[in-house]
Amino acid sequence: MLNLFTGSGVGPTILYLALSIFVGLLLGRIKIAKISLGITWVLFVGIALSAYGITLNHDMLHVIKEFGLILFVVAVGLQVGPGFFKSFKKGGLAMNLMALVNVALGVLITIIIAKIAHQDLADMAGVYTGAITNTPGLSAAQQAVNDMGMASASDRLAAGYAVAYPLAVVGMIVTCILLRLLCRIDLTKEPTTLEAAAITSTTDKKGKGGFLLIPVFVIIALGIIVGSIPIPVGLKAPVKLGLAGGPLVVAIVGGWLGVKKGWFSTEFTEGQGVHALREVGISLFLACVGLSASGQFVATVQEHYMWVVYGVIITMVPPILVTLFGRLVLKMNYYTLMGFIGGSHTDPPTLAFANTVAPENCKLPNMGYATVYPLTMFLRIFTAQLLVLLAV
């Protein structure tokens, strides 16, 4: 019986995953000044358990984490797919240009910090991937240093990522809150269907809302294949969309094509089944990230506390500047901009937070997230490798 609480097998892993999610969701109901971190609490409960000394099977957590992330992005892709391409007529191009600027600012700030603070740029590449919560970027950077015979740098990349990641999640949510305060946004007066009309206008009753698992797992299989395709970019190693980017792209196309061809209706893409899939996926992902932090997390933060500061700067400064421009100059919708912040940092928890702030059935956060996510994922993977190459 004791092994159920102290072992590293299947039972303890599922037990602590369930505990992290259960307690995290309960804490997510707490609001201070009408603001809640929502589902992000799942991450912090997992970190707390890990810091307390709970040690689980790393490989098992990794598989569950990646599968949870895949379920989440597939659900998001299906929800926004029917109106995704029409969204480019309603600001999609502008948002992707903003995402490009956001990525460029993040890379520039990382390089400037490395120069001013006399930090190794390879170490800062790890902080950068954590600050933008981009695990595929970390993997790409680690592969790049391994290919160049610098395997010893791989652990420091991972340390920088681990130190910067938790506060990056909070930092992007705080960015959403700051944007609202700085622009004095009144949520009661904020439009909720401006861009969402592109989704609701595609309703087609030909398809059936059932058979949820068939298209979902077809999309997952095709997405894994697409995400594994190497894309030559002239560096020592090619880049890939990865386990998150590939399924998201396929889900967006599948959602759009499925409704257009009548294979299924928007009753399916907007139904409770897909919504539940999204929530289960993000919950598993956050719980695994927290529980994977290990007992060394606190010690690592104490040793490299300035990395935490650098990470917060990289996390918050670019999206604050870019979204202020989007709101004040381009007059973009606040709910869309919250989704943009999550998508431009490939951060599911920010989208989850945005969906708790937005009114029920408002698709704008999902649209903003999915519109910039594919390009951003590619750019983040590319720039993480670029920082490592510049460090050589």
Side-chain angles (χ1 to χ4, degrees), residues 266-309:
T266 52
E267 291 178 339
F268 165 71
T269 60
E270 299 176 11
Q272 288 299 313
V274 172
H275 177 78
L277 199 68
R278 188 186 74 187
E279 297 304 306
V280 169
I282 188 61
S283 297
L284 289 173
F285 173 76
L286 290 174
C288 288
V289 170
L291 291 168
S292 299
S294 80
Q296 297 299 316
F297 177 75
V298 174
T300 304
V301 171
Q302 291 174 339
E303 181 181 355
H304 301 291
Y305 65 92
M306 285 306 297
W307 285 2
V308 178
V309 178

Side-chain angles (χ1 to χ4, degrees), residues 30 69 77-78 81 83 157 186 192 197 212 256 264 321 324 354 363 375:
I30 299 174
L69 181 58
L78 283 172
L157 281 168
D186 184 349
T192 62
L212 170 66
W256 166 72
F264 45 76
L321 294 176
L324 280 174
K363 302 298 189 299
L375 174 64

Side-chain angles (χ1 to χ4, degrees), residues 83 193 195-204 266 270 361 363:
T193 58
E195 291 86 355
I199 298 179
T200 56
S201 63
T202 61
T203 301
D204 183 348
T266 52
E270 299 176 11
N361 297 323
K363 302 298 189 299

Side-chain angles (χ1 to χ4, degrees), residues 215-241:
V216 165
F217 281 98
V218 168
I219 287 171
I220 289 175
L222 292 176
I224 296 299
I225 295 172
V226 171
S228 302
I229 297 174
I231 305 172
V233 290
L235 299 177
K236 292 185 177 180
V239 298
K240 302 175 183 178
L241 287 175

Side-chain angles (χ1 to χ4, degrees), residues 118-158:
H118 305 291
Q119 296 287 317
D120 189 302
L121 190 55
D123 290 345
M124 288 303 300
V127 175
Y128 169 79
T129 58
I132 59 174
T133 65
N134 192 276
T135 306
L138 170 66
S139 299
Q142 289 177 316
Q143 184 62 51
V145 296
N146 289 333
D147 290 344
M148 292 185 291
M150 300 167 55
S152 59
S154 182
D155 289 341
R156 291 184 64 82
L157 281 168

Side-chain angles (χ1 to χ4, degrees), residues 1 38 51 98 116 136 153-154 187 201 221 227 267 271 332 373 389:
M1 183 67 179
M98 287 168 56
I116 294 177
S154 182
L187 295 182
S201 63
E267 291 178 339
M332 295 180 68
Y373 188 104
L389 293 174

Side-chain angles (χ1 to χ4, degrees), residues 258-379:
V259 170
K260 183 178 180 181
K261 296 294 186 179
W263 298 336
F264 45 76
S265 72
T266 52
E267 291 178 339
F268 165 71
T269 60
E270 299 176 11
Q272 288 299 313
V274 172
H275 177 78
L277 199 68
R278 188 186 74 187
E279 297 304 306
V280 169
I282 188 61
S283 297
L284 289 173
F285 173 76
L286 290 174
C288 288
V289 170
L291 291 168
S292 299
S294 80
Q296 297 299 316
F297 177 75
V298 174
T300 304
V301 171
Q302 291 174 339
E303 181 181 355
H304 301 291
Y305 65 92
M306 285 306 297
W307 285 2
V308 178
V309 178
Y310 302 148
V312 170
I313 295 172
I314 296 168
T315 296
M316 295 185 64
V317 173
I320 286 177
L321 294 176
V322 172
T323 54
L324 280 174
F325 175 82
R327 178 68 182 186
L328 300 177
V329 178
L330 301 181
K331 309 299 180 184
M332 295 180 68
N333 183 280
Y334 176 63
Y335 300 125
T336 303
L337 285 173
M338 283 197 296
F340 167 85
I341 291 171
S344 64
H345 281 253
T346 62
D347 184 57
T350 304
L351 176 59
F353 170 78
N355 280 318
T356 64
V357 174
E360 188 177 358
N361 297 323
C362 176
K363 302 298 189 299
L364 298 183
N366 286 348
M367 183 63 73
Y369 183 92
T371 297
V372 299
Y373 188 104
L375 174 64
T376 298
M377 177 62 75
F378 175 81
L379 291 174

